[in-house]
Amino acid sequence: MALDQNLKRKLTRDIGISLFIYSLPVLAIYLYFQLNNGHVSESHLTLPPFLEFVQPVFKNIRSWGLIALAIGLGIVEFAAGLYDEQWTGHERKVDLICFLAPKLLLPPVVAFFSLTALPYLIPDLANVLSWVPFWGGFFLIAIADDLTQYWYHRLHHQVPFLWRFHRTHHSAPYMGMAMASRQNFLYTIFFSQIYLTATLTYLGLGVPALFVLVIKSFITLGAHSSLAWDKPFYKYRILHPIAWVLERLISTPATHHAHHADTSGDGVGYFKGNFGNMFFIWDVIFGTGLITRKFPKSYGTKSYKSEEWYAQFLWPIFKSKKEGSPLAEGVLAIPISKKDQNVSPNQNIYESVQS
């Protein structure tokens, strides 16, 4: 009972901190407006001069560049043998379907929300925030989007029912571009930050949203890649101060690979934390981060049974036929805790949640 109360207090504290963080860019924009006596000298439609020339580049990256980058990095990883012969025919099928299908299925959903639902729900608020300066809109969206995704991700690790919607992403026994998009489709389609960002774009923050999306995509792709671009920062002493800031600010391969480890008993793997997507600082603030500058020896989940692609992509609409699979009919999930160590549940009935 004491543990439950402690968890409740921590959750209450974390929610309070989150609400404060959400309010910071709003307060900053309000103060900017007040200090200028209600006069707006620029809007997000007027980019800072040094960014104007990159706007067309960001638009191209958004439309096709990120997909090309992911494919290109995947080819380099494969050519370098970084998948350690674990990318079997079955795993390739799961990864390719999870990569391609959302590109076809998700845009109509988001388009309907942006073009039909929002004009119906809030018809008089279109472009109401178009006066907000670019940097104000940028930080408003960056914080709102990524902090919301931090909580979405964290809850899918800590709530037993939600875990199996996210489990597909952790089933891959390797890291790299091949598995970066490996997600249950229902997990993806209910991404709350997608609709939050779409709403802010409808309200008039489309240009800042574009820049946030591209920068976040680069960071998250880099964090999933098996090309450990952060290792030089740990190797050379002169770069250690930069590494100290970098690994606490954004997700890096070392911190995110630790999140995908198949064990947390080696002092390196940490699937019970490191939930940050673009910003790792959320894990620092909420005490869910572990920084070791080391990489796990193995990845995935111990209960993985190479389930069918349709079960991994569309559970619980389609269930696995694999005996003992956590995605099969009638299988429950329970959280990992000290109490569970004294219990030996039937593995055909229970799956431990990675939290």
Side-chain angles (χ1 to χ4, degrees):
M1 189 68 177
L3 180 61
D4 290 342
Q5 290 299 323
N6 289 335
L7 288 174
K8 288 179 182 178
R9 281 196 292 270
K10 177 172 172 43
L11 184 61
T12 301
R13 185 204 68 177
D14 288 355
I15 291 174
I17 293 173
S18 296
L19 292 175
F20 173 71
I21 295 172
Y22 278 124
S23 71
L24 289 178
V26 178
L27 291 173
I29 293 170
Y30 174 77
L31 288 174
Y32 167 86
F33 189 69
Q34 292 298 316
L35 291 173
N36 284 277
N37 298 316
H39 175 69
V40 179
S41 59
E42 61 173 336
S43 76
H44 79 275
L45 299 175
T46 305
L47 284 171
F50 71 93
L51 285 180
E52 288 180 358
F53 78 97
V54 300
Q55 185 172 359
V57 177
F58 270 58
K59 287 183 177 179
N60 288 330
I61 291 175
R62 169 67 181 91
S63 60
W64 58 267
L66 289 171
I67 295 176
L69 175 64
I71 293 173
L73 285 175
I75 292 172
V76 172
E77 292 171 341
F78 183 78
L82 297 179
Y83 289 98
D84 195 25
E85 299 182 353
Q86 292 176 318
W87 203 38
T88 63
H90 171 77
E91 303 302 337
R92 282 197 296 271
K93 182 184 292 186
V94 175
D95 288 338
L96 289 173
I97 289 172
C98 289
F99 176 76
L100 294 174
K103 305 293 186 294
L104 300 174
L105 301 176
L106 191 58
V109 175
V110 177
F112 174 81
F113 178 78
S114 301
L115 302 177
T116 304
L118 287 175
Y120 175 78
L121 295 171
I122 45 176
D124 300 324
L125 297 182
N127 296 315
V128 70
L129 296 180
S130 60
W131 60 271
V132 173
F134 173 81
W135 288 116
F138 181 89
F139 286 111
L140 174 64
I141 293 178
I143 290 174
D145 176 285
D146 203 58
L147 181 53
T148 301
Q149 188 171 359
Y150 165 86
W151 276 105
Y152 188 79
H153 186 189
R154 176 174 165 178
L155 289 174
H156 276 76
H157 276 266
Q158 296 180 337
V159 177
F161 172 73
L162 295 178
W163 160 244
R164 280 174 291 171
F165 289 100
H166 182 52
R167 178 182 179 276
T168 300
H169 189 56
H170 283 264
S171 65
Y174 44 82
M175 291 295 291
M177 289 300 99
M179 55 72 61
S181 300
R182 184 172 174 142
Q183 292 280 17
N184 179 296
F185 182 64
L186 296 183
Y187 178 90
T188 301
I189 203 170
F190 285 110
F191 259 161
S192 50
Q193 72 276 7
I194 289 178
Y195 306 103
L196 175 62
T197 301
T199 301
L200 291 172
T201 300
Y202 173 78
L203 296 177
L205 299 178
V207 175
L210 170 67
F211 277 72
V212 170
L213 175 65
V214 171
I215 293 172
K216 178 173 182 174
S217 297
F218 272 107
I219 292 173
T220 53
L221 286 175
H224 283 90
S225 176
S226 58
L227 301 172
W229 59 263
D230 54 339
K231 279 188 175 181
F233 291 93
Y234 313 141
K235 181 178 180 180
Y236 300 106
R237 185 176 296 276
I238 194 173
L239 297 177
H240 284 183
I242 298 176
W244 191 93
V245 174
L246 201 64
E247 64 194 357
R248 284 162 177 79
L249 179 62
I250 65 171
S251 289
T252 62
T255 55
H256 199 68
H257 281 221
H259 177 69
H260 280 266
D262 64 356
T263 180
S264 61
D266 59 358
V268 177
Y270 199 59
F271 52 69
K272 64 178 67 175
N274 291 17
F275 301 123
N277 293 276
M278 175 165 62
F279 294 127
F280 188 79
I281 196 170
W282 310 135
D283 289 288
V284 175
I285 291 172
F286 298 116
T288 56
L290 177 68
I291 299 174
T292 66
R293 299 185 176 180
K294 297 178 181 179
F295 288 77
K297 293 181 179 179
S298 55
Y299 302 95
T301 58
K302 298 294 188 183
S303 58
Y304 184 51
K305 295 185 181 296
S306 298
E307 288 88 3
E308 306 88 344
W309 70 265
Y310 54 82
Q312 296 204 56
F313 185 60
L314 288 171
W315 183 91
I317 298 174
F318 296 101
K319 304 234 174 106
S320 176
K321 295 181 175 62
K322 299 271 186 177
E323 184 179 356
S325 167
L327 302 181
E329 189 75 42
V331 178
L332 305 176
I334 57 174
I336 292 174
S337 66
K338 291 182 179 179
K339 183 178 179 181
D340 297 333
Q341 295 174 0
N342 300 321
V343 180
S344 298
N346 184 336
Q347 292 303 311
N348 291 332
I349 300 176
Y350 295 99
E351 177 196 24
S352 294
V353 178
Q354 291 194 349
S355 63

